[in-house]
Amino acid sequence: MAGKEYSAEDIRILEGLDAVRLRPGMYIGSTGVKGLHHILWEIVDNAIDEAANGYATRIEVKLYKDGSASVEDNGRGIPTDIHPQTGVSGVEVVFTQLHAGGKFDEHNYSFSGGLHGVGASVTNALSEWLKVEVYRGTVYKMFFRSYFDEAADKMMSGVPEGHLVDTGVKTDKTGTFVHFKPDASVFDTVVFNFEAVSKRLKELAFLNKGLEINLVDERVEEGRPPVSVNYKFDGGLHDFCIYLNEGKAPLYPDPIGYRAEKDGILIEFAIQHTGEFTESLFSFVNNIPTPEGGFHETGFRTGLTKSLNDVARSLGILKEKDANLLGEDFREGLTAILSIKMKNVQFEGQTKTKLGNAEARQPVETATVEGIGALFSDPKKKSVFEEIVKKAQGAARVRIAARQAKEVARAKNSIDSLTLVGKLSACTGKKPELNELFIVEGDSAGGTAKQARVRQTQAILPLRGKPLNVEKKRIDQVLANEEIRTIISALGAGYGSDFDMDDLKYHKVIILSDADQDGMHIRCILLTFFFRYMRELINNGNVYIGMPPLYKVYKKDVVEYAYDDAELQKKIEIVGKGYQIQRYKGLGEMSAEQLWETTMDPARRNLIRVNIEDAAEAEQMVTALMGDRVEARKEFLARNANFNKVDTFIDRVNL
Ligand code: TSJ
């Protein structure tokens, strides 16, 4: 057992591990499922470092039935020789000394990972047992155990059972194998999550080009073969980018990538634009995700904007008189992965996932400018670049149209806005909760509605002109549309992040369009607009679709209206022999009186409330329904056909 050859210094070291047991949270964040995985990642990180430094090409992670886990690499093997400062082997130092990682080899451990960087000794301290094997010509072994010492009446953590032993058994392979069993008395759960482990290993495989990572899960039913996944991406970030863009529509087939070292910082990125409208930047520092961003992201964004504008000018796509495109324009639909490796990382922010090293900004910016410049100096890449600029110019149009609309909405009391709402026939009542805004398709139907309405509570906004083809028009054109800007003005509550329900002038917004293709398009445009820019309005159930009848069935002074074909049969029976049918092709064919009694009179009309509880789902649906990709739309409809909400919504849209 441990003890007899131990110096005072060794005991001090082991007390360090006791401290880890006493306050595990200080070292691994928590003793929950996250903390459990943390002690696995501490071990994996060491193997990844060996690979990142060019010494290992393969890592295998294994999950066992008894709850233990192992990690093996084919690197050089943890140094087995005696460490001069402590008089024990490198292996022993690694597992018994806190923060030992890299102390004896600054150079090779220069880009050491680990979220808290606490090292393998913490895994040892929080394990029931830990076994290490090092393959360097022969097999070296060492074993550690945590136990309760009855005599001393205290917990002993990660205690070596003897020093490192050279078993003398010859081996061809080199590398390190670490096998440990998380201590059930430390953790709330000791069950590793296959999905979580495999997802992170896949990410690590993407981040470390060419590295083969194998995950074997032996925790399967008796008699069944282990579940095993194997990751190896020779394209690295390039492959990562393609993977992230699966299911999206890339604007050019190959992601653009670059790798450089600047001021001791290794910088790598890959980008690819898609038809989406949002930006997805995934950044990493020393293989650790940095979702909160930081200086590397700042440098990257600045570099991208600068270099893409520069290239656009040098290719003559942007002329001297043209303004630069903004960063946000170039980032619309951008999928990007930024991975940097540097020393002395400082993590900040809410979840300690934001890079605080200011010195990272400039090198990343420089590398980005350099990389983009170099890539597009290749004339073969010109068409790719043109796609990027076309997309950015589209985004700029949205931005400008959005700003204009915002100005309109902001200046709601100015003369300017009065001219815009000129077509609005406002109501006289001043109680928004009682007021209704009818958005009516066509000037002539608008005129009829104006005659039919109750002035006190019903306002009419006619929409003039041909309906836009939503599938071909983008949201920027929708926003540039004067009618849409008029709606924003009329509602008086702003839009987008400025939208404020408290300023809403009409608590019922009723879309009244014809029951035909064009009418459906108008509804789609308006709903997309509300989804994207006044989502609260939908969530609150303030948006309605008016239901004009399709048929009038009449005989002398008996009149019945039918809203669909099934109803038509019933109404025919009610009216009886000698009936006549009028089919309404549009709202414009109705008299003011008919429109009132069938569609506008609160006592008799049928309204459909557009009510989507899940705004996120709604947005996805609008994208799928109106996006560029026909397949995506079909897929979406097929996938969601059984979802009640969505189903209902689709019915409503296609009224
Ligand atoms: F530390 C550990 F237990 F977590 C661990 C370390 C676990 C695993 C699975 C692998 C490793 C590990 C360590 N793999 N490879 C290394 N390499 C070294 O420690 C090493 C080897 C040689 C030299 C040298 O300068 O010759 C330096 C180092 C740091």
Side-chain angles (χ1 to χ4, degrees):
M1 271 298 276
K4 61 179 195 294
E5 293 164 43
Y6 274 68
S7 65
E9 173 64 5
D10 298 328
I11 288 159
R12 197 192 62 76
I13 287 167
L14 288 172
E15 277 171 356
L17 295 192
D18 291 340
V20 175
R21 277 248 165 185
L22 227 51
R23 290 194 183 78
M26 293 253 303
Y27 299 87
I28 56 164
S30 78
T31 52
V33 68
K34 261 196 126 162
L36 173 75
H37 288 77
H38 195 125
I39 68 166
L40 171 61
W41 300 130
E42 284 296 338
I43 303 301
V44 170
D45 284 347
N46 279 280
I48 294 280
D49 275 338
E50 186 73 353
N53 288 321
Y55 299 108
T57 58
R58 196 175 175 278
I59 295 172
E60 182 172 84
V61 177
K62 232 176 185 171
L63 305 174
Y64 300 82
K65 279 208 166 75
D66 65 355
S68 64
S70 72
V71 182
E72 178 170 353
D73 70 26
N74 64 349
R76 294 165 298 174
I78 304 175
T80 52
D81 48 342
I82 302 298
H83 191 235
Q85 269 148 50
T86 55
V88 295
S89 69
V91 174
E92 191 163 334
V93 172
V94 165
F95 287 101
T96 55
Q97 203 162 297
L98 281 173
H99 297 280
K103 266 196 185 154
F104 57 98
D105 196 332
E106 246 268 349
H107 183 71
N108 283 299
Y109 261 84
S110 52
F111 299 138
S112 187
L115 199 50
H116 299 77
V118 287
S121 59
V122 168
T123 304
N124 181 28
L126 300 177
S127 293
E128 202 178 303
W129 51 259
L130 184 146
K131 174 168 126 182
V132 53
E133 290 183 7
V134 174
Y135 314 113
R136 286 183 163 231
T138 54
V139 178
Y140 293 79
K141 281 189 178 176
M142 192 164 177
F143 193 81
F144 305 82
R145 191 186 290 283
S146 301
Y147 58 92
F148 189 78
D149 186 328
E150 300 284 348
D153 191 31
K154 69 196 263 297
M155 195 67 206
M156 307 293 287
S157 303
V159 182
E161 296 197 344
H163 293 293
L164 182 72
V165 173
D166 180 353
T167 63
V169 176
K170 295 248 181 320
T171 178
D172 289 341
K173 63 180 185 181
T174 65
T176 307
F177 170 84
V178 175
H179 189 181
F180 64 98
K181 186 176 182 199
D183 197 323
S185 69
V186 171
F187 296 98
D188 309 338
T189 167
V190 284
V191 182
F192 287 108
N193 179 322
F194 180 84
E195 289 307 318
V197 173
S198 110
K199 179 168 182 269
R200 171 66 176 152
L201 291 179
K202 187 171 187 178
E203 186 173 273
L204 285 167
F206 279 126
L207 290 167
N208 296 276
K209 166 158 72 186
L211 171 63
E212 187 182 345
I213 304 181
N214 200 209
L215 169 63
V216 180
D217 191 346
E218 293 191 342
R219 303 168 303 172
V220 286
E221 247 177 79
E222 210 61 58
R224 293 198 178 254
V227 174
S228 151
V229 286
N230 206 20
Y231 301 121
K232 181 173 187 288
F233 303 105
D234 291 327
L237 299 191
H238 180 276
D239 292 355
F240 200 172
C241 204
I242 289 174
Y243 169 72
L244 290 171
N245 281 344
E246 266 173 26
K248 299 181 183 174
L251 298 189
Y252 38 93
D254 272 326
I256 296 156
Y258 191 66
R259 180 188 167 106
E261 197 180 322
K262 288 261 172 290
D263 303 341
I265 302 179
L266 186 66
I267 300 142
E268 265 183 286
F269 66 83
I271 66 169
Q272 188 182 39
H273 288 81
T274 71
E276 308 284 303
F277 296 101
T278 49
E279 171 196 353
S280 341
L281 169 59
F282 297 91
S283 66
F284 299 86
V285 178
N286 297 350
N287 293 325
I288 302 154
T290 42
E292 290 182 285
F295 286 99
H296 57 325
E297 282 198 5
T298 313
F300 180 64
R301 288 198 170 96
T302 311
L304 263 188
T305 311
K306 264 192 194 158
S307 55
L308 291 171
N309 271 306
D310 286 353
V311 178
R313 283 191 194 283
S314 74
L315 291 177
I317 301 175
L318 276 184
K319 302 280 186 291
E320 212 169 308
K321 61 173 168 49
D322 295 332
N324 267 358
L325 289 157
L326 299 190
E328 59 184 81
D329 300 336
F330 280 120
R331 294 195 301 270
E332 189 186 271
L334 174 75
T335 299
I337 302 122
L338 170 68
S339 170
I340 74 164
K341 292 188 175 141
M342 65 182 294
K343 285 186 200 181
N344 305 320
V345 183
Q346 222 59 58
F347 286 114
E348 295 176 347
Q350 283 281 308
T351 53
K352 292 266 179 285
T353 58
K354 177 180 180 178
L355 181 64
N357 301 62
E359 73 271 22
R361 192 182 54 78
Q362 192 57 54
V364 175
E365 182 183 321
T366 309
T368 308
V369 169
E370 193 181 282
I372 296 290
L375 289 158
F376 289 117
S377 64
D378 178 358
K380 282 193 297 248
K381 289 267 161 54
K382 191 173 173 187
S383 64
V384 168
F385 191 75
E386 281 165 349
E387 287 297 327
I388 294 177
V389 175
K390 212 161 70 189
K391 175 82 177 165
Q393 282 172 333
R397 273 199 301 278
V398 176
R399 172 168 55 77
I400 291 159
R403 198 184 52 210
Q404 281 168 356
K406 200 163 263 186
E407 276 160 10
V408 167
R410 282 228 178 91
K412 50 191 173 214
N413 297 318
S414 73
I415 295 161
D416 191 30
S417 73
L418 287 179
T419 56
L420 264 179
V421 287
K423 289 181 291 149
L424 171 75
S425 301
C427 56
T428 53
K430 295 288 173 233
K431 289 187 179 144
E433 58 280 11
L434 300 180
N435 291 349
E436 304 176 341
L437 176 67
F438 282 86
I439 302 175
V440 186
E441 175 185 357
D443 271 338
S444 92
T448 311
K450 214 177 133 180
Q451 287 177 283
R453 69 171 173 155
V454 178
R455 269 184 93 86
Q456 171 89 11
T457 55
Q458 295 182 322
I460 310 295
L461 179 63
L463 288 189
R464 183 181 358 99
K466 273 193 223 142
L468 300 160
N469 184 344
V470 189
E471 282 163 35
K472 295 212 183 89
K473 300 283 175 187
R474 287 189 13 178
I475 197 73
D476 59 325
Q477 286 150 311
V478 174
L479 263 181
N481 183 297
E482 196 184 314
E483 325 289 329
I484 292 282
R485 297 217 300 276
T486 310
I487 293 170
I488 297 172
S489 282
L491 291 178
Y495 83 98
S497 52
D498 290 345
F499 183 77
D500 190 349
M501 286 292 282
D502 293 344
D503 294 336
L504 189 64
K505 290 193 198 150
Y506 305 90
H507 281 202
K508 279 202 175 74
V509 178
I510 302 165
I511 301 169
L512 210 52
S513 61
D514 293 336
D516 58 11
Q517 276 294 102
D518 286 350
M520 189 189 96
H521 280 167
I522 288 213
R523 273 195 298 278
C524 284
I525 294 166
L526 293 174
L527 289 181
T528 307
F529 168 73
F530 290 133
F531 275 133
R532 293 232 168 115
Y533 297 97
M534 298 185 183
R535 190 167 292 170
E536 232 187 308
L537 207 60
I538 304 269
N539 287 339
N540 270 300
N542 298 77
V543 180
Y544 299 82
I545 290 169
M547 288 258 290
L550 285 179
Y551 305 99
K552 175 181 163 184
V553 187
Y554 61 99
K555 183 175 70 186
K556 286 178 226 142
D557 49 352
V558 193
V559 179
E560 290 287 334
Y561 296 99
Y563 292 86
D564 57 40
D565 289 344
E567 211 175 14
L568 178 62
Q569 294 311 314
K570 283 186 216 137
K571 294 298 160 86
I572 287 173
E573 281 163 33
I574 292 173
V575 176
K577 264 197 181 61
Y579 68 88
Q580 285 191 286
I581 297 178
Q582 182 186 358
R583 190 184 194 288
Y584 292 117
K585 286 188 213 76
L587 294 161
E589 293 177 1
M590 266 182 255
S591 68
E593 200 194 344
Q594 287 171 341
L595 189 62
W596 165 253
E597 55 187 43
T598 59
T599 314
M600 291 175 72
D601 177 6
R604 284 177 283 180
R605 70 190 177 192
N606 282 311
L607 288 186
I608 291 178
R609 183 183 240 159
V610 179
N611 187 6
I612 304 293
E613 300 122 31
D614 188 345
E617 209 171 305
E619 158 75 14
Q620 190 201 355
M621 178 166 50
V622 168
T623 309
L625 283 173
M626 307 201 177
D628 304 327
R629 291 182 60 233
V630 179
E631 300 135 73
R633 187 162 51 235
K634 283 194 189 145
E635 262 168 46
F636 183 88
L637 290 172
R639 245 188 310 125
N640 293 290
N642 296 325
F643 290 2
N644 245 344
K645 271 191 285 209
V646 175
D647 216 6
T648 320
F649 176 79
I650 287 168
D651 279 352
R652 285 172 187 175
V653 169
N654 294 305
L655 280 174

